[in-house]
Amino acid sequence: MRLPRVLGACVLAAAVLASGSDAARPPVVVLDPGHDEYANLATEPIGPGSSTRKIKDGGGTSGVVTGTPEAVLNLRVALRVRSLLEHAGVRVVTTRTATAGRSIGNIARAQIANRAHAALFLRIHADGSANPATRGTHTLYPAFHRGWTDDIFVASKRAARIVQGEEVRALGFPDDGLQQRPDYTGFNWSNVPAILVEMGFMTNPTEDRRLATAAYQQRAAVGLCRGALRFLGRSPGGCR
Ligand SMILES: [Zn+2]
């Protein structure tokens, strides 16, 4: 539809004003490097008001060749993403900055994102499988659940699609696509768009060896940064 000239000018002025205030208050991305040094086997409800409970954190996987704990890899990548995003003018909050304690659990992680009014809650993980041949990158997002995720479903799915594309391009691992999850506590408690990226499989020798290198950790970080910036409507060229 063609806007009348005067209305078009008003819309344009409003857009300029909006981008001006965005520049004054940059968006916040909450980075959530999965797990911690120790698992947390206490349970918590999988969503607000739910009688279904899951353990807070089973502890994650580890590298089949390198022995790297997943929590360590997740944090290394997250700290690289933080510096890339901050360099691009995005404010960053992280759910942890060391791998040195008992995992806080997934409600607590979501609450950090909620309190920060995050534009994106970006959860960083690597996967494990009993089958060492299983490999590739995939991204999880919340399933639709009225009262829990109805307000974040569409944006989360869009973020998942964008970030998955950038992460696959950056890492060059197989594209295992997107997966909707109704049972992820950290999604169901989130009031802000939330995704969880499984960068690769640490139980696959090739992906474990690669993800253990600084070069691949940087690739993973650039992919996540580019995806986050594109989701925020910013140029991904800022991820340097
Ligand atoms: Zn994990």
Side-chain angles (χ1 to χ4, degrees):
M1 186 186 81
R2 267 193 75 125
L3 291 167
R5 181 181 298 261
V6 174
L7 180 57
C10 288
V11 168
L12 194 62
V16 168
L17 280 173
S19 72
S21 66
D22 280 355
R25 284 189 67 183
V28 179
V29 170
V30 170
L31 299 176
D32 178 30
H35 314 292
D36 208 323
E37 186 171 7
Y38 304 110
N40 187 335
L41 302 181
T43 66
E44 57 188 359
I46 66 160
S50 177
S51 56
T52 305
R53 303 178 71 90
K54 276 186 20 184
I55 59 168
K56 288 190 174 184
D57 191 335
T61 187
S62 62
V64 64
V65 177
T66 66
T68 312
E70 185 200 331
V72 169
L73 171 65
N74 296 340
L75 181 63
R76 285 182 182 151
V77 173
L79 294 178
R80 290 176 182 273
V81 179
R82 179 174 73 176
S83 91
L84 290 168
L85 284 175
E86 285 179 347
H87 191 71
V90 172
R91 287 190 296 150
V92 174
V93 171
T94 56
T95 58
R96 65 183 175 93
T97 53
T99 304
R102 189 163 307 285
S103 178
I104 58 175
N106 292 307
I107 295 177
R109 290 171 195 266
Q111 284 172 340
I112 291 169
N114 295 343
R115 275 197 298 270
H117 302 288
L120 179 63
F121 178 29
L122 177 52
R123 314 183 64 195
I124 302 171
H125 283 248
D127 214 344
S129 167
N131 179 357
T134 302
R135 56 172 300 191
T137 300
H138 63 292
T139 299
L140 316 182
Y141 64 97
F144 184 92
H145 184 118
R146 203 171 298 283
W148 290 355
T149 61
D150 46 347
D151 51 345
I152 63 166
F153 172 78
V154 170
S156 299
K157 185 173 183 178
R158 190 172 74 85
R161 184 166 33 78
I162 293 170
V163 175
Q164 169 72 9
E166 290 290 345
E167 191 68 339
V168 166
R169 203 158 71 99
L171 280 171
F173 295 171
D175 185 350
D176 294 342
L178 307 183
Q179 200 187 356
Q180 238 182 64
R181 295 299 296 241
D183 57 333
Y184 269 37
T185 308
F187 288 161
N188 293 336
W189 286 85
S190 181
N191 299 326
V192 297
I195 60 171
L196 188 154
V197 178
E198 299 278 11
M199 298 177 284
F201 278 82
M202 298 182 82
T203 44
N204 175 265
T206 302
E207 292 187 357
D208 173 32
R209 280 197 197 91
R210 288 182 182 167
L211 287 170
T213 66
Y216 269 84
Q217 288 162 16
Q218 184 67 14
R219 285 190 185 206
V222 167
L224 296 175
C225 174
R226 287 180 59 89
L229 287 190
R230 279 188 53 209
F231 174 69
L232 298 175
R234 297 182 164 218
S235 165
C239 297
R240 283 191 287 265

